[in-house]
Amino acid sequence: MLPGFGSHCPSGGRESGIVVLPDRVAWSSMNGTVRCLALSDGRELWRYDAGGPVVTSGDADDNLIVICSNAVFDERTHTWVLNTSVETNTPDAGGVVHALDHDGTLRWQHENPEGARFPSLSGDTVYYHTPYGLAAYSADGTRHWMDTEGNLAVAPPALDVAAGIGVSAEDFEGHHIHGGLRVTDLATGQPLWAVDGSKQNFNPDPPVVAFGSVWMIGFVFREHDRTAVRLNRFDLRSGRLLATVPLGTEIESFATCLAADETGILVSYQGGRGMNDGVKHIRADNGKPRLIQPIPADAAAVTGGRALLATTTQLCAVDVASGEQLWSLENPQNAAVTTWDRVVTVVPTAHGVLWQAGPTVTMLRSDR
């Protein structure tokens, strides 16, 4: 068990502040403290004060760790309503991008008064979201470009570096849905195509980029306040709608794309109206959904043909091909998890499986 903060973990955009490197993990908190822990035994290697809440996921490569902090943050508004702060006109203002060496030494900072969220590293470039679109900076802090025509993103962008394309889920209104997509040329910052948020009902989650496509969950409203859930597949380069896959009549309340393996997409869902929950695997070649787990997951990773499916209370491994459950583990810290602690991350590493469930991070052996 890695030592935790004992206080609420970051939950902005339903992503954690964990950044995993081959031998260590950087763990950020609402009080601005970044702790770096050794993956082998959980001992603390260093601390860094970001000066403000770190509420969205960060990133790392062989040279840098990048995180974003914000001086103003209204957690309930940001997480559940996706609205704007009355005082700042943005849910997180006073944004700062921090670039750290692996030993915790600050290499550079960049301030964005409107807010900074979801930094991603690619080569010598750092990408992050402002309330007005995606921005790109060189690894030394020099600005390349900034998109000022976009909207607030509610999840990390999906970067296809080989294609030179960044995909953002943005333009969300209200509690859950009505969001769109914005796809940006990573070299120039110019928009390539977009899906109008006012005409779609997407779930505010990270887009999944796989098989030359962008995958997003959408809702189709039906009679008597019922909904049908669809998995939408868009061509990565043109934005053309390639397929709309019905996920099953039992899915009515919530669904989200979790991850992709070499054959398809994992989707977690809640049945609603007394129906069963679960995780389905949708084949990319024929669009056929297949139930592989009867319990919904908040996070997932796929490694070696196994899907690691995590909630705040349970982590299990499922063979994707057969749907057989290989093992399951209950969270020993269930009592510590509250409604506002529902941050879940699962990451396979060389040392084992890293599982964040609420305020606790656990390392499991690789041979589980």
Side-chain angles (χ1 to χ4, degrees):
M1 188 92 56
L2 299 183
F5 288 134
S7 60
H8 179 40
C9 297
S11 61
R14 301 198 175 103
E15 290 294 308
S16 79
I18 282 183
V19 178
V20 181
L21 292 90
D23 64 342
R24 62 194 64 191
V25 54
W27 192 10
S28 306
S29 73
M30 290 287 290
N31 64 13
T33 301
V34 181
R35 296 172 62 192
C36 185
L37 311 175
L39 284 179
S40 58
D41 56 13
R43 61 191 168 86
E44 184 172 294
L45 303 177
W46 49 261
R47 290 193 179 198
Y48 172 78
D49 183 5
V54 180
V55 296
T56 64
S57 55
D59 201 5
D61 62 10
D62 292 339
N63 299 305
L64 283 180
I65 300 170
V66 289
I67 60 170
C68 288
S69 64
N70 291 274
V72 176
F73 181 74
D74 181 338
E75 179 190 0
R76 292 180 181 240
T77 295
H78 180 82
T79 305
W80 294 101
V81 183
L82 302 175
N83 205 342
T84 57
S85 166
V86 175
E87 295 181 358
T88 64
N89 202 36
T90 176
D92 37 16
V96 180
V97 183
H98 308 256
L100 309 176
D101 290 323
H102 286 193
D103 63 2
T105 302
L106 177 66
R107 187 177 298 188
W108 56 264
Q109 286 181 335
H110 171 72
E111 297 184 5
N112 189 316
E114 292 81 11
R117 319 169 81 222
F118 307 118
S120 299
L121 275 167
S122 177
D124 62 351
T125 305
V126 180
Y127 302 94
Y128 72 90
H129 267 287
T130 76
Y132 309 108
L134 198 62
Y137 282 74
S138 65
D140 63 4
T142 303
R143 188 170 87 174
H144 290 326
W145 50 260
M146 181 177 292
D147 181 3
T148 59
E149 302 299 325
N151 289 287
L152 186 67
V154 295
L159 304 181
D160 188 318
V161 178
I165 290 174
V167 184
S168 302
E170 61 175 24
D171 194 26
F172 285 84
E173 302 172 1
H175 172 64
H176 251 316
I177 50 180
H178 312 301
L181 289 172
R182 186 173 179 85
V183 177
T184 305
D185 186 311
L186 294 182
T188 65
Q190 295 299 309
L192 298 175
W193 56 268
V195 177
D196 188 350
S198 66
K199 299 179 180 179
Q200 294 293 334
N201 299 307
F202 289 149
N203 205 57
D205 289 300
V208 172
V209 175
F211 309 103
S213 307
V214 182
W215 306 76
M216 285 289 285
I217 296 291
F219 294 78
V220 179
F221 291 97
R222 303 183 298 190
E223 296 180 0
H224 309 299
D225 195 30
R226 292 164 62 89
T227 59
V229 182
R230 302 286 188 264
L231 178 60
N232 298 286
R233 181 178 185 177
F234 298 92
D235 181 78
L236 180 62
R237 293 192 175 277
S238 68
R240 181 169 63 92
L241 181 63
L242 300 176
T244 301
V245 181
L247 295 179
T249 56
E250 73 274 24
I251 307 175
E252 291 191 345
S253 61
F254 174 79
T256 183
C257 293
L258 290 176
D261 72 344
E262 63 272 13
T263 60
I265 306 294
L266 293 177
V267 172
S268 176
Y269 66 92
Q270 297 175 5
R273 301 180 185 271
M275 297 179 180
N276 294 330
D277 305 332
V279 175
K280 287 189 175 183
H281 179 263
I282 293 86
R283 294 273 309 189
D285 54 0
N286 57 25
K288 291 184 177 180
R290 177 174 56 89
L291 179 70
I292 66 169
Q293 171 72 8
I295 301 173
D298 297 316
V302 182
T303 177
R306 297 186 305 168
L308 301 171
L309 306 175
T311 68
T312 53
T313 60
Q314 182 186 41
L315 175 67
C316 67
V318 176
D319 183 274
V320 176
S322 66
E324 176 189 2
Q325 182 171 293
L326 304 175
W327 51 260
S328 178
L329 177 71
E330 296 294 324
N331 181 6
Q333 300 293 316
N334 282 349
V337 179
T338 69
T339 300
W340 300 106
D341 284 327
R342 300 191 66 82
V343 180
V344 181
T345 306
V346 57
V347 183
T349 76
H351 293 270
V353 178
L354 190 69
W355 175 29
Q356 179 188 9
T360 303
V361 173
T362 303
M363 175 63 74
L364 304 177
R365 299 191 314 268
S366 297
D367 58 355
R368 277 293 310 219

